[in-house]
Amino acid sequence: MPFTESLYIQMTWAYLFALATPLVLWAAARLPIERSNWIRSALLHIPISIVLSVVLTALGRVLIWLNFGYRMGKPLTFESITRFVIGNFSEGIGIYLLIALTSYAINYYRRYREGQLRTLQLEAQLSQAQLQALKMQLHPHFLFNTLHSISALLTRDIESARKMITRLGDFLRLTLENSGSQEVTLQQEMEFLSCYLEIERIRFQNRLVTRMDLGEQTLDAKVPNLILQPIVENAIRHGIAPRSTPGLIEIEAKQHNGTLRIQVRDNGPGLSEHRTSEYLFKKGLGLANTETRLERLYGAAHLLDLRNNPAGGFIVTLEIPFHKDGAAPSQSENE
């Protein structure tokens, strides 16, 4: 067979499958191979590849006949097309599978790279959040008030002063202890928050009252590291500090429809007309950063709601997917 005729035959297959490649890629995109559905997807690829290969092989037979048989006056019959398809369509199945597998390999690699990028972004975001938390926690005003309280207690209540120093040390230690973790258990987060609240409780004495209502099943749930302290500090600053009478801060955590719902309530004055929730995001302690971290970790599967409490005061509601060790949801699953 002359080289030109052989090239014509081979390029016929090449161009036919080049034209059909978008269809193969579409089928691969609609039938992803995942751990939960790989058998179903693989079985569906079989009839698609057979039908597509039969059609392309039949078209290839027509194109070959136009170049060879038509010039020689040979008729094109259904029988000749059928014999040709039966003898050659299996090659088309192999080409179909090769294109599909290449598509899967590229997509898996792209998702792997996106996962790496997302991990790096989360690590950078965590570092930024930790630095921001330390900046807030070690704010000169906070340290001044804490040290001033310790100094005052040394002359009249040495035991309380010693306790405050101990809690301040625990506060700083716990801040750095989980510095490499994106998420901690709610119980670990509450240990850190308890240190912070005990320091503030000594500062405000009987003006700060706290109440905890944590469902037992929620203590092992994962929450973002250092997520509650900025919310509670905001409640103390705007709900407790301005008043001279005792104020109450309530923290509630419960499982709700597959999510972990945490609410922080105070009985302060709430939001006035000029202090909107947008104002708090701009001026509040870490609220904007808190929203950014939640978006990075959970995508659209989270809620951070700030509003006045109908019963009086202000309420912050945080909802994230309920998960424990080894069951952290990915963004793609949440979406």
Side-chain angles (χ1 to χ4, degrees):
M1 178 181 293
F3 173 78
T4 54
E5 295 181 0
S6 177
L7 182 63
Y8 177 88
I9 295 175
Q10 295 303 319
M11 294 307 295
T12 296
W13 302 118
Y15 280 112
L16 285 173
F17 272 95
L19 293 174
T21 293
L23 180 60
V24 180
L25 297 179
W26 176 84
R30 295 296 299 270
L31 299 172
I33 301 294
E34 304 289 353
R35 181 178 299 179
S36 59
N37 67 345
W38 70 271
I39 296 179
R40 173 181 174 275
S41 296
L43 291 177
L44 288 176
H45 274 299
I46 294 175
I48 296 175
S49 64
I50 292 175
V51 172
L52 183 62
S53 179
V54 168
V55 172
L56 294 181
T57 304
L59 288 176
R61 177 67 181 91
V62 172
L63 293 176
I64 292 174
W65 173 81
L66 289 174
N67 189 61
F68 298 105
Y70 180 77
R71 292 184 304 174
M72 300 175 61
K74 293 182 178 180
L76 180 64
T77 63
F78 178 80
E79 182 182 359
S80 65
I81 295 177
T82 302
R83 287 200 306 268
F84 187 87
V85 168
I86 293 174
N88 297 278
F89 84 98
S90 59
E91 180 180 350
I93 295 176
I95 298 174
Y96 174 95
L97 295 178
L98 179 61
I99 297 173
L101 290 175
T102 302
S103 174
Y104 285 131
I106 293 174
N107 287 333
Y108 289 148
Y109 179 77
R110 177 179 53 80
R111 288 167 57 183
Y112 169 76
R113 295 292 296 177
E114 289 175 351
Q116 283 188 319
L117 178 61
R118 186 181 300 114
T119 299
L120 292 175
Q121 290 173 338
L122 289 174
E123 290 175 353
Q125 188 67 27
L126 176 61
S127 298
Q128 181 182 358
Q130 290 164 348
L131 291 175
Q132 182 69 16
L134 283 174
K135 183 179 180 181
M136 292 185 297
Q137 295 152 8
L138 299 180
H139 194 282
H141 180 71
F142 170 76
L143 280 181
F144 172 79
N145 287 332
T146 303
L147 295 175
H148 178 75
S149 299
I150 293 173
S151 178
L153 287 171
L154 286 174
T155 61
R156 55 186 174 84
D157 192 345
I158 296 178
E159 185 62 30
S160 295
R162 182 181 294 113
K163 181 179 180 181
M164 195 170 188
I165 293 173
T166 300
R167 282 307 182 185
L168 180 60
D170 292 339
F171 177 84
L172 299 176
R173 176 180 58 82
L174 291 173
T175 300
L176 299 172
E177 192 173 68
N178 295 307
S179 60
S181 302
Q182 275 290 351
E183 295 179 312
V184 296
T185 63
L186 179 61
Q187 184 170 0
Q188 291 173 303
E189 183 74 2
M190 294 307 299
E191 289 175 2
F192 168 79
L193 192 61
S194 295
C195 291
Y196 170 75
L197 286 173
E198 287 197 32
I199 294 173
E200 294 289 52
R201 194 176 293 113
I202 295 175
R203 280 183 53 209
F204 289 98
Q205 298 182 0
N206 63 344
R207 290 170 54 202
L208 175 60
V209 179
T210 60
R211 182 181 301 160
M212 309 286 182
D213 183 11
L214 308 177
E216 184 176 352
Q217 73 277 12
T218 66
L219 295 178
D220 293 330
K222 289 291 189 176
V223 298
N225 193 10
L226 305 178
I227 202 69
L228 293 180
Q229 188 270 339
I231 298 175
V232 174
E233 184 171 354
N234 185 76
I236 292 176
R237 167 170 287 196
H238 298 287
I240 305 298
R243 58 193 296 168
S244 58
T245 57
L248 173 66
I249 290 182
E250 297 178 286
I251 301 173
E252 179 186 80
K254 61 183 180 180
Q255 188 176 359
H256 177 73
N257 293 334
T259 66
L260 175 65
R261 173 182 289 180
I262 302 175
Q263 290 188 328
V264 178
R265 298 185 290 266
D266 66 69
N267 62 348
L271 287 179
S272 60
E273 293 182 359
H274 70 279
R275 288 176 62 224
T276 62
S277 58
E278 289 77 11
Y279 169 88
L280 290 182
F281 271 106
K282 292 180 180 179
K283 301 296 184 182
L285 297 179
L287 289 180
N289 188 56
T290 297
E291 172 65 23
T292 301
R293 290 186 64 205
L294 292 171
E295 177 66 28
R296 292 285 189 181
L297 280 169
Y298 309 112
H302 81 277
L303 171 69
L304 180 62
D305 182 66
L306 293 75
R307 65 180 62 192
N308 284 329
N309 191 346
F314 192 68
I315 181 170
V316 177
T317 302
L318 169 66
E319 287 189 5
I320 60 176
F322 187 94
H323 62 285
K324 299 183 181 181
D325 283 325
S330 64
Q331 264 196 17
S332 59
E333 291 173 341
N334 291 328
E335 293 169 358

